Amino acid sequence: EVQLQQSGPELVKPGASVKMSCKASGYTFTDYYMKWVKQSHGKSLEWIGDINPNNGDTFYNQKFKGKATLTVDKSSSTAYMQLNSLTSEDSAVYYCARGDCWGQGTTLTVSS
Amino acid sequence: QIVLTQSPAIMSASPGEKVTLTCSASSSVSSSYLYWYQQKPGSSPKLWIYSTSNLASGVPARFSGSGSGTSYSLTISSMEAEDAASYFCHQWSSYPFTFGSGTKLEIK
C-alpha cells in the first residue's frame, strides 16, 4: 500500500524556519516526483513545487521561490520541505503528494 | 499562470439529483493533465478523476468527468449523501501548476 507519512504539527515563532518531512512507503521512491501543496484555512490549494527524487531536480512556483526548499533523502525514502523567514501568512496545512496519494498533512502555526 | 475557475462555489443537492460541477481554465489545458480531487473536512485531498475522465480506484461509477481545452466538468449522475465534500480541479499541464478554488457540495 502506497503511503506518505508526514511529520507532526509545528508551532514556530515569526522569523524562524521549519523543516517538515514526508516518508514514502509501498513504492519505489525514485519512480515518482513528489509535490508539495499549501492549504490555508481549509480553503483552496497552492502548488509549492515538485522534486524529482531520482536526481534532486526541483521545480518551484515562483511565489514560493526563496520561501521553500525541497530536498530528498533517497536512503530513507523521505522528502523534506524547509520554509524560512516564517510569518503568519505561512500558517497553513502543508501536504506532500504523489499525485494519486497524499500525505495526511502537517499543520504549521506561526505565532509568537 | 493558468487560472482555474470553479462554479458554483457552493451548492446543495438532494439525494438522487444529477449534479454538474464546472472548471473553466484561463488558457487551454491538456486533457491528460486535468485532475479532480475530493476533500472532506479534516482529511487530505483524494484523487477522484484523472486525465479528465478516468475514475480513480474506488470511485463510484455514478461519477464521470469530461471536457477539453478550457472547459471541464465533473458530473454525479445521482447524488448520494457520501458525495458531500469539496471538489477541486487541478492542472499540471503548464507551470506553475494550479488548482481551482473548489466547489463545496452539500446534501439537502
Side-chain angles (χ1 to χ4, degrees), chain B residues 28-46:
Chain B
S28 184
V29 172
S30 169
S31 59
S32 297
Y33 301 100
L34 192 289
Y35 283 25
W36 291 88
Y37 289 92
Q38 181 197 68
Q39 186 179 33
K40 294 189 175 183
S43 295
S44 54
K46 293 181 180 178

Side-chain angles (χ1 to χ4, degrees), chain A residues 33 35 37 39 42-47 50 59 61-62 95 99-100 102-105, chain B residues 1 35 37 39 42-47 88 90 92 95-102:
Chain A
Y33 282 38
K35 68 170 80 247
V37 176
Q39 186 167 39
K43 294 180 181 176
S44 192
L45 304 155
E46 289 183 281
W47 175 72
D50 281 13
F59 308 85
N61 184 338
Q62 186 69 30
Y95 295 101
D100 60 343
W102 290 51
Q104 83 276 24
Chain B
Q1 70 173 36
Y35 283 25
Y37 289 92
Q39 186 179 33
S43 295
S44 54
K46 293 181 180 178
L47 179 63
F88 296 93
H90 171 52
W92 55 294
Y95 289 113
F97 303 156
T98 51
F99 292 86
S101 53

Side-chain angles (χ1 to χ4, degrees), chain A residues 56-86:
Chain A
D57 283 352
T58 51
F59 308 85
Y60 290 99
N61 184 338
Q62 186 69 30
K63 177 179 179 180
F64 292 94
K65 276 190 175 178
K67 169 64 67 177
T69 303
L70 306 183
T71 56
V72 296
D73 177 359
K74 288 192 288 186
S75 68
S76 63
S77 298
T78 302
Y80 297 92
M81 179 172 69
Q82 179 165 322
L83 299 171
N84 57 36
S85 303
L86 293 168

Side-chain angles (χ1 to χ4, degrees), chain A residues 91-106:
Chain A
S91 295
V93 178
Y94 292 87
Y95 295 101
C96 62
R98 197 187 80 162
D100 60 343
C101 178
W102 290 51
Q104 83 276 24
T106 294

Side-chain angles (χ1 to χ4, degrees), chain B residues 1-5 23-36 49-53 66-73 89-100:
Chain B
Q1 70 173 36
I2 296 178
V3 176
L4 300 178
T5 301
C23 175
S24 176
S26 59
S27 300
S28 184
V29 172
S30 169
S31 59
S32 297
Y33 301 100
L34 192 289
Y35 283 25
W36 291 88
I49 296 174
Y50 65 95
S51 302
T52 297
S53 60
S66 65
S68 65
T70 61
S71 183
Y72 293 87
S73 63
C89 56
H90 171 52
Q91 71 80 22
W92 55 294
S93 179
S94 67
Y95 289 113
F97 303 156
T98 51
F99 292 86

